[in-house]
Amino acid sequence: MPSLDTQNKRKNLPLPPGPRALPLLGNALQINVSQPWLTYTAWGKRYGGIVYSCILGQDFVIINDENIARTLLDRRGAIYSDRPVLGANKLFGLDFNTGLLPYGDVWRAHRKIYHQTLRSDRAALYHDIYFRKAHDFVQNLINFPDDLEAHVQTLSASLIMAVTYGYETQIRDDPFVHRVQELINIITQTITPERSALLIAFPFLEHFPEWFPGAAFKRRARLCRDLAAEVVERPFQYVIEQMAKEIAPQSMVSDFQRDAIARGEDHQNEMVKGVAATTSSTLHVFLLAMVLYPEVQQRAQAEIDAVVGDERLPNFDDRAALPYVEAICREVLRWNPVVPLSLPHATSSDDTFNGYYIPKGAIVVINAWGITHNEIAYPDPFQFKPERHFTADGQLKDDPLFNNLGFGLGRRICPGRHFAERSVWAAIVSVLSCVRIEKARGPDGREIEVLPKFTTGLAIHPKPFQYSVVSRSATKAKLLRGKIALTA
């Protein structure tokens, strides 16, 4: 029986508009499960910036408008900061992850750790690591251009391992990087709200044996649990061992452990282990864009050359003088968002908005892909145009990179966004400074055309494409080798 408060809120108020649902199934058969953002974008064009749907009895509220998203998540954080309780998270061994925790005391404790170790001023302490790993990445592109996906994975994983644990991965073929990527692949392909709705509606599926027809997800879940435990436990123990020997380098975990010990605390181990895990494929999108839009690459390289010349490599002191490079970073995040639907939120109580009723427990999905491909806000949205991030008088718009929708909104905004945007900028400016990314040529000498195609899942990245890497300068190549030799 609904409470009196719920009845009062619901009185005479409709749910947001949305597609007609079937009995029991709801809108389950109308959604492109592999690319739900396309379905949600089409619904947005028909029904508006806020859309209601139902999947197997679970309420979904899809936000296709940035102003609505910021109004609800930023200004009504007390209602929209929860996460949906998805049985798949526990089944796959991912319920430790900060981003998936329900809103409450444990989540607040995790965020406290992040604030202490990854806030803007602390993220700046790792500038040398960002560029050291970026230089390794560029050298890998030059030496082994056919292994792009491996290089991107190595860069993102090695950055996280170095900053979080002080652990130095191998430049190539690090076994731990492979384990991390294996875990990420399972997560991004399996853990989505649309697929998890099946377990919400039919929780008994969790108890099916692995051999049962249709229960392949149970085998993936077991593998995921084992990988998650290994990825979290091994590097944490590495830090503890290094600290015991008094040789642990600065890292997120060692810094927090030292602070905890100084405060007389010794109960945070499980929490710290759970706080440290994330990655991104933004650079993959950047390299695809450079292949497809050589004029953008040329303009950025001219800007870099004018600032740093041919005698040194760019660093963070040059960032303010490189507005076009900054615009490229923003456009990469807009053009093809790595996480097209962000992580789902959930309402912790009933709410009303613009005359609509939003029920407690609804899964709230921010359609980042649809928002960044809105033709009104972004004319020619499928074109890669860094110029769109400048004002009419040629000034970079006042919209810092870490404020990008891709990092989330409200109280659940990505706590590592300062780390992420600095590392992305360092890698992009290093690539542009040292090499040209061009179309590959076939045996007949003609350029091989590239058609941008993307994977599907919770996070997406470009499917393999052919390209070539050309060193821009013998001096820069020598500088790059020198930087790597100094840190080898």
Side-chain angles (χ1 to χ4, degrees):
M1 182 77 177
S3 68
L4 182 61
D5 181 60
T6 297
Q7 292 179 30
N8 289 337
K9 282 190 175 182
R10 180 69 193 269
K11 186 178 180 180
N12 299 322
L13 291 181
L15 292 162
R20 179 172 296 181
L22 296 173
L24 299 178
L25 293 175
N27 304 111
L29 301 182
Q30 300 166 259
I31 295 175
N32 179 342
V33 178
S34 295
Q35 297 175 295
W37 52 91
L38 298 182
T39 301
Y40 298 157
T41 300
W43 287 353
K45 291 179 179 178
R46 182 171 181 179
Y47 301 108
I50 182 168
V51 176
Y52 173 83
S53 71
C54 179
I55 302 177
L56 300 172
Q58 172 65 53
D59 297 312
F60 275 70
V61 175
I62 298 104
I63 309 298
N64 292 301
D65 179 279
E66 184 169 358
N67 290 330
I68 294 176
R70 293 191 182 279
T71 296
L72 296 182
L73 275 66
D74 288 346
R75 301 175 191 172
R76 304 187 189 184
I79 296 175
Y80 291 89
S81 295
D82 210 354
R83 293 290 191 212
V85 180
L86 303 178
N89 293 344
K90 185 174 183 179
L91 182 64
F92 281 74
L94 302 173
D95 48 341
F96 69 87
N97 187 280
T98 306
L100 301 177
L101 285 173
Y103 188 64
D105 291 341
V106 175
W107 173 80
R108 291 187 187 93
H110 278 225
R111 291 288 294 202
K112 180 181 177 182
I113 297 174
Y114 270 127
H115 178 71
Q116 292 171 349
T117 55
L118 283 181
R119 62 183 186 267
S120 180
D121 60 327
R122 294 298 292 268
L125 298 175
Y126 304 109
H127 281 182
D128 287 346
I129 294 177
Y130 302 145
F131 273 104
R132 176 156 50 85
K133 299 301 182 182
H135 296 156
D136 289 346
F137 174 65
V138 177
Q139 195 65 61
N140 274 337
L141 285 179
I142 294 172
N143 293 338
F144 309 97
D146 293 336
D147 294 337
L148 173 57
E149 188 164 354
H151 303 332
V152 172
Q153 293 171 2
T154 297
L155 174 63
S156 58
S158 64
L159 275 167
I160 292 165
M161 295 301 295
V163 171
T164 307
Y165 302 105
Y167 178 89
E168 291 294 331
T169 59
Q170 300 173 24
I171 293 179
R172 279 175 52 79
D173 299 323
D174 187 279
F176 196 79
V177 171
H178 292 312
R179 301 296 277 174
V180 171
Q181 195 57 42
E182 193 175 358
L183 174 64
I184 291 170
N185 289 340
I186 294 175
I187 294 171
T188 57
Q189 294 302 314
T190 308
I191 308 299
T192 67
E194 295 77 15
R195 287 190 169 96
S196 294
L198 189 64
L199 286 176
I200 294 174
F202 306 109
F204 59 83
L205 292 176
E206 294 183 34
H207 304 293
F208 279 17
E210 293 183 6
W211 52 262
F212 195 84
F217 72 94
K218 292 290 296 289
R219 293 188 290 275
R220 290 194 298 272
R222 176 169 50 81
L223 175 59
C224 190
R225 288 195 302 272
D226 293 343
L227 284 169
E230 178 183 352
V231 165
V232 170
E233 184 66 31
R234 279 182 53 194
F236 183 83
Q237 290 304 320
Y238 167 82
V239 175
I240 299 303
E241 292 169 5
Q242 297 294 94
M243 290 182 68
K245 298 175 183 177
E246 298 185 349
I247 57 173
Q250 182 180 24
S251 69
M252 172 181 159
V253 172
S254 64
D255 286 351
F256 182 82
Q257 286 296 104
R258 291 188 183 99
D259 292 344
I261 292 170
R263 294 192 301 269
E265 300 174 0
D266 192 29
H267 60 279
Q268 305 278 3
N269 287 4
E270 289 304 316
M271 188 186 305
V272 176
K273 285 187 283 187
V275 161
T278 185
T279 191
S280 161
S281 57
T282 302
L283 289 175
H284 215 151
V285 177
F286 160 70
L287 293 169
L288 174 63
M290 294 304 96
V291 170
L292 296 174
Y293 297 89
E295 69 282 359
V296 169
Q297 183 174 205
Q298 291 166 8
R299 178 173 171 180
Q301 290 172 334
E303 179 182 74
I304 293 170
D305 293 346
V307 172
V308 306
D310 198 42
E311 301 303 318
R312 67 179 180 89
L313 300 176
N315 57 53
F316 279 106
D317 292 338
D318 304 311
R319 189 167 184 175
L322 299 171
Y324 194 72
V325 173
E326 193 79 15
I328 287 177
C329 294
R330 296 182 187 183
E331 185 68 351
V332 165
L333 294 175
R334 183 211 66 82
W335 185 51
N336 273 287
V338 171
V339 184
L341 293 179
S342 301
L343 287 175
H345 292 244
T347 52
S348 55
S349 65
D350 297 310
D351 193 23
T352 61
F353 176 76
N354 281 4
Y356 298 122
Y357 168 70
I358 300 175
K360 177 182 178 180
I363 293 179
V364 180
V365 176
I366 308 302
N367 184 7
W369 193 94
I371 291 171
T372 60
H373 287 76
N374 182 304
E375 294 90 344
I376 297 175
Y378 303 101
D380 298 323
F382 294 95
Q383 296 298 305
F384 189 88
K385 293 183 177 181
E387 294 78 12
R388 70 174 84 244
H389 300 283
F390 289 92
T391 62
D393 60 356
Q395 299 298 309
L396 196 64
K397 292 179 180 177
D398 186 18
D399 186 19
L401 191 61
F402 59 78
N403 194 43
N404 186 276
L405 192 68
F407 294 126
L409 294 170
R411 299 178 186 180
R412 303 304 294 246
I413 193 169
C414 175
R417 63 193 182 280
H418 297 290
F419 158 78
E421 62 96 6
R422 281 176 167 88
S423 61
V424 165
W425 188 87
I428 285 178
V429 78
S430 296
V431 170
L432 290 169
S433 175
C434 296
V435 299
R436 289 196 309 276
I437 307 298
E438 301 177 345
K439 290 180 179 178
R441 295 183 180 274
D444 58 0
R446 295 182 179 179
E447 290 183 341
I448 299 173
E449 293 302 317
V450 174
L451 295 176
K453 296 181 180 180
F454 288 78
T455 61
T456 61
L458 185 66
I460 64 175
H461 61 80
K463 290 184 177 180
F465 58 92
Q466 292 184 287
Y467 70 104
S468 67
V469 181
V470 180
S471 180
R472 296 187 62 225
S473 155
T475 302
K476 289 286 178 71
K478 184 177 180 180
L479 286 170
L480 191 64
R481 290 193 299 271
K483 290 281 186 179
I484 293 173
L486 287 174
T487 58

